[in-house]
Amino acid sequence: MKEPVMPGAVPNPLRDVLDRRLPRIAGPSVLVLFGVTGDLARKKLLPAIYDLANRGLLPPGFGLVGFARRDWAHQDFAQVAHEAVREHARTPFREDVWRQLSEGMRFVPGELHDDDAFDKLADTVRELDADRGTGGNYAFYLSLPPKLFPTVVTQLKRSGLAESEEHAWRRVVIEKPFGHDLKSAQDLNAVVDDVFPPQSVFRIDHYLGKETVQNLMALRFANTLFEPIWNRSYIDHVQITMAEDIGVGGRAGYYDGIGAARDVIQNHLLQLLALVAMEEPLSFTADAIRAEKEKALSAVELPEDLETATARGQYAAGWQGGASVVGYLEEEGIPSDSTTETYAAIKLGVNTRRWAGVPFYLRTGKRLGRRVTEVALVFQRTANRVFSHTATEEQGANSLVIRVQPDEGVTLRFGSKVPGAAMEVRDVSMDFSYGESFTEASPEAYERLILDVLIGDPPLFPRQEEVELSWRILDPIEEHWVKAGRPEQYESGAWGPKSAHELLARDGRQWRRP
Ligand SMILES: NC(=O)c1ccc[n+]([C@@H]2O[C@H](COP(=O)([O-])OP(=O)(O)OC[C@H]3O[C@@H](n4cnc5c(N)ncnc54)[C@H](OP(=O)(O)O)[C@@H]3O)[C@@H](O)[C@H]2O)c1
C-alpha cells in the first residue's frame, strides 16, 4: 500500500527504520499452505510459523490450512506439523503456544486439479472465519513444484478464493524459481496476473529475508563511512559468492536441467548485486527500493565474449568432510550424460557513473570447499610509494566483506604494521559479528518473510520487473552454454573448475578463499 506523502515533505529514509522498531504483528488471517508434505514446508515454513506464534507476532485468530494429496484428518496434519516444529523450530517449545496454534489448524485432502477439493478448501477457510475470527483474509503459499503454480492459481480463481472482498485481502506467495527463462517467467506472470493484482503477489527469494542482506542497506545508507568510497574511484572489483559444500542430494529431479546459474545466480546473486550497486532509495517503501534495484539491474552489461567471461563446471567424485563422495553424473536420478552445471561463474559490468569499469564477479557452486555466502568489495591498491617492495609483499588489497552466511557479519581487511623493528605490513581483519554484537537472535529468513506477507509489507519481495531483468541478463549466457557443450569437471571439495580461476587470472585478479 502506498504511503500518503505530505505536500512538500522531504523524504526521510530513517523514518521507516524507526517505524520498523515497533512490534509488527499480523492481523487476523488464514495461511493456506500447498505442498505441506514437502521438504520446504517441514524444514522451514511450519517451524517459522510456530516461531512467529512463539514470539507473539501472530494473532490469536490465526488459521493454518494444509492442502495435500494425503488421506489425513486435521489431527494428522497437526501431528506432522508438531514433529516438524519439535525438530526444526528455533525457539523453545511451549505447550500453550502450540495449543493455541494447533486449534486453528485444518487439513484439506485433494488433488490440485480436483474442483471439489478446492470447494472444500473454500468451505474450510470460511468456517475458520466464523470459528476463529480470521476476517476473510487469506494468504495462499505455493510451496510446490513450479509447473503446478498455474493449476493452483486457476483453481483459486475458479473457486472464488482469489477474489478480495471489502475489508478483506487475498494474497499469493510464490516460491522461486520464477520461470526458467524470460519467456516462461512472462508466461507464469500472465497466469498469476490474470487472477491477482500485482500488489497481492509475493515472490519469495528467501535471501532477501536474511538479516545481513538487509544490513547491506543499513551499512551503506545509515553510515558516513562507506558510501563515499562505494564507487569506481576506490573499488577495484566486487565478488559475490554463494558456495555450498553439499551435492545435489535429494533434489536431483528439480536440479537437473536447471543448474547452478538458474537456481542461484538469477535470483539470490543478482538480488545481492542490485543491493550493492543501487543508489540510495528515497525511502524504505517497497516502491522506492524496487525502483532503485531495477535501475541497477537495467544497467547490468554482459561482456562481449561470453566464452572468456563465464565459467561452468560439474562436480566429479572426491573427498568431502572426510568422506568419499560420488560425482554429479553418478548421483541417483541424474542421467549419466547430463550437461547441467553445478558450478557457474560470470563477470558482469554495471554501466552507471558509480560503477563503470568495475567488474562484478558472481559465482556459485555445489561441493565446494565450504558453505559460505558473502559479498566482497575489493579496493584498489595504493601506490605504496614510501614502502619498499619487501615491506608490503604480503599485503593484499583492502576489502570489505559482508558475510551473509553462516557466520553473519562484516569484515574489513586492511594492512597493518607487523610488530618489530622493521617496517613490514601484513593484512589484518576487523570483524563485526551479529552473534557477538547483539543479544537478539536473527529471525529465520522465512519468519520475516511470512510475517511480511501477513502484514502486507512488500519491500523484501522482488516484483515481476526485477525477475524479467534478471532473466534478460542470464538468458544469453544460458544460450551460449548450450552451444558450448559439456561443462568442465571439478574435484569435489575444491573451489570450482580451472576455467573459473582463469576467468579472473585473465584480469590479473583471483577469487577470494572465504
Ligand atoms: N526445499 C528447499 O529448501 C527450497 C528452497 C528454495 C525454494 N524452494 C521451492 O519451494 C517449492 C517446494 O519445494 P520442496 O523442496 O518442498 O519440494 P518437494 O519436497 O518436492 O515438495 C513438493 C510438494 O508438492 C507436492 N506435490 C508434488 N506434486 C504434486 C501434485 N501433482 N499435486 C499436488 N501436490 C503435489 C508434494 O506433495 P505430495 O506429498 O503429495 O507429493 C509436496 O508437498 C519449490 O518451488 C522449490 O523450488 C525449496
Side-chain angles (χ1 to χ4, degrees):
M1 195 192 299
K2 258 199 163 143
E3 284 184 23
V5 178
M6 298 290 286
V10 179
N12 176 4
L14 284 179
R15 184 195 52 201
D16 297 315
V17 177
L18 294 175
D19 286 348
R20 279 163 194 277
R21 293 175 55 171
L22 300 171
R24 300 161 68 245
I25 300 174
S29 46
V30 178
L31 181 66
V32 179
L33 209 47
F34 292 96
V36 80
T37 55
D39 187 61
L40 184 70
R42 192 168 52 82
K43 290 195 185 138
K44 298 287 185 186
L45 306 181
L46 293 166
I49 292 163
Y50 168 80
D51 286 328
L52 284 172
N54 207 7
R55 292 183 208 271
L57 302 177
L58 293 185
F62 178 72
L64 176 64
V65 180
F67 185 105
R69 301 178 292 180
R70 300 290 153 108
D71 198 13
W72 284 349
H74 299 322
Q75 304 88 291
D76 299 320
F77 170 48
Q79 183 56 32
V80 168
H82 183 259
E83 283 159 21
V85 165
R86 291 306 290 247
E87 197 176 345
H88 298 288
R90 291 157 62 100
T91 59
F93 188 79
R94 283 177 35 204
E95 200 55 53
D96 53 332
V97 172
W98 174 254
R99 201 173 323 112
Q100 186 169 43
L101 187 63
S102 59
E103 278 167 10
M105 285 187 186
R106 304 285 184 274
F107 184 76
V108 178
E111 296 278 345
L112 297 175
H113 53 75
D114 180 0
D115 293 356
D116 290 345
F118 274 78
D119 293 342
K120 179 81 182 43
L121 177 63
D123 294 343
T124 304
V125 289
R126 286 185 187 122
E127 279 160 26
L128 275 171
D129 288 341
D131 297 349
R132 309 256 307 166
T134 42
N137 300 313
Y138 313 141
F140 302 100
Y141 198 124
L142 314 192
S143 180
L144 293 164
K147 63 175 189 297
L148 300 174
F149 295 168
T151 313
V152 181
V153 171
T154 310
Q155 283 285 21
L156 291 173
K157 181 180 182 181
R158 190 207 54 79
S159 58
L161 277 166
E163 228 166 276
S164 58
E165 292 160 10
E166 210 181 342
H167 308 303
W169 50 257
R170 305 291 149 89
R171 296 178 188 138
V172 67
V173 185
I174 303 182
E175 263 293 342
K176 66 136 213 170
F178 317 118
H180 53 87
D181 58 13
L182 178 61
K183 166 82 172 57
S184 57
Q186 287 170 332
D187 290 348
L188 170 63
N189 192 53
V191 176
V192 177
D193 201 39
D194 180 48
V195 180
F196 291 95
Q199 68 275 16
S200 301
V201 182
F202 289 72
R203 296 174 186 81
I204 292 231
D205 181 336
H206 70 273
Y207 258 58
L208 299 185
K210 288 185 184 290
E211 207 66 44
T212 339
V213 173
Q214 295 163 55
N215 190 36
L216 254 168
M217 283 196 283
L219 191 76
R220 291 189 57 190
F221 306 129
N223 294 300
T224 354
L225 206 54
F226 304 109
E227 202 53 17
I229 53 170
W230 203 274
N231 57 54
R232 65 191 300 271
S233 303
Y234 295 91
I235 293 174
D236 177 73
H237 70 280
V238 179
Q239 294 189 18
I240 304 181
T241 301
M242 184 190 145
E244 292 180 277
D245 52 3
I246 52 168
V248 72
R251 292 182 77 212
Y254 159 74
Y255 195 83
D256 197 62
I258 296 285
R262 288 192 178 103
D263 190 38
V264 175
I265 294 183
Q266 184 270 338
N267 37 74
H268 307 326
L269 298 199
L270 285 175
Q271 283 290 324
L272 287 173
L273 176 146
L275 288 166
V276 171
M278 74 182 196
E279 297 302 317
E280 184 173 19
L282 286 177
S283 71
F284 279 142
T285 57
D287 280 350
I289 295 175
R290 287 157 157 182
E292 293 306 332
K293 282 200 290 176
E294 282 164 27
K295 275 193 236 164
L297 289 171
S298 314
V300 168
E301 280 189 337
L302 288 176
E304 271 174 25
D305 182 5
L306 291 178
E307 186 56 30
T308 53
T310 68
R312 64 188 179 133
Q314 216 174 44
Y315 61 80
W319 287 87
Q320 200 148 37
S324 116
V325 288
V326 298
Y328 181 70
L329 298 180
E330 292 97 52
E331 294 274 18
E332 206 182 317
I334 302 293
S336 58
D337 58 352
S338 170
T339 56
T340 300
E341 84 281 356
T342 60
Y343 178 100
I346 59 178
K347 172 183 170 181
L348 297 171
V350 179
N351 192 13
T352 59
R353 190 183 175 115
R354 186 190 282 268
W355 293 113
V358 178
F360 281 66
Y361 300 102
L362 277 49
R363 65 174 161 167
T364 182
K366 290 191 178 292
R367 286 265 175 81
L368 299 184
R370 58 180 279 235
R371 170 179 170 256
V372 63
T373 302
E374 62 165 43
V375 175
L377 290 93
V378 182
F379 291 86
Q380 295 168 16
R381 287 171 183 266
T382 63
N384 269 351
R385 199 176 45 81
V386 295
F387 296 98
S388 65
H389 172 66
T390 49
T392 56
E393 66 183 353
E394 287 197 39
Q395 189 190 357
N398 295 168
S399 57
L400 179 69
V401 183
I402 294 107
R403 308 190 311 269
V404 177
Q405 67 180 18
D407 169 27
E408 299 173 299
V410 180
T411 301
L412 190 58
R413 252 180 110 62
F414 53 94
S416 182
K417 183 183 172 304
V418 179
M423 174 53 86
E424 189 191 338
V425 182
R426 212 182 282 163
D427 286 337
V428 293
S429 293
M430 213 153 78
D431 271 330
F432 148 64
S433 162
Y434 264 89
E436 283 171 22
S437 301
F438 294 107
T439 48
E440 301 89 337
S442 300
E444 230 286 321
Y446 277 101
E447 268 180 69
R448 170 69 200 262
L449 296 173
I450 291 171
L451 183 63
D452 282 1
V453 169
L454 297 176
I455 290 176
D457 199 11
L460 299 181
F461 300 83
R463 62 182 168 195
Q464 178 65 12
E465 289 81 347
E466 288 166 73
V467 172
E468 293 193 13
L469 284 165
S470 303
W471 283 122
R472 279 181 207 282
I473 297 166
L474 204 59
D475 277 359
I477 299 175
E478 292 285 355
E479 281 160 25
H480 170 76
W481 283 343
V482 168
K483 288 184 231 135
R486 305 193 69 79
E488 188 190 335
Q489 298 272 304
Y490 62 93
E491 196 187 331
S492 285
W495 279 98
K498 205 158 122 261
S499 53
H501 299 284
E502 287 165 357
L503 194 170
L504 262 73
R506 269 191 289 273
D507 294 348
R509 302 185 176 104
Q510 57 185 15
W511 290 109
R512 284 172 38 78
R513 270 293 164 89

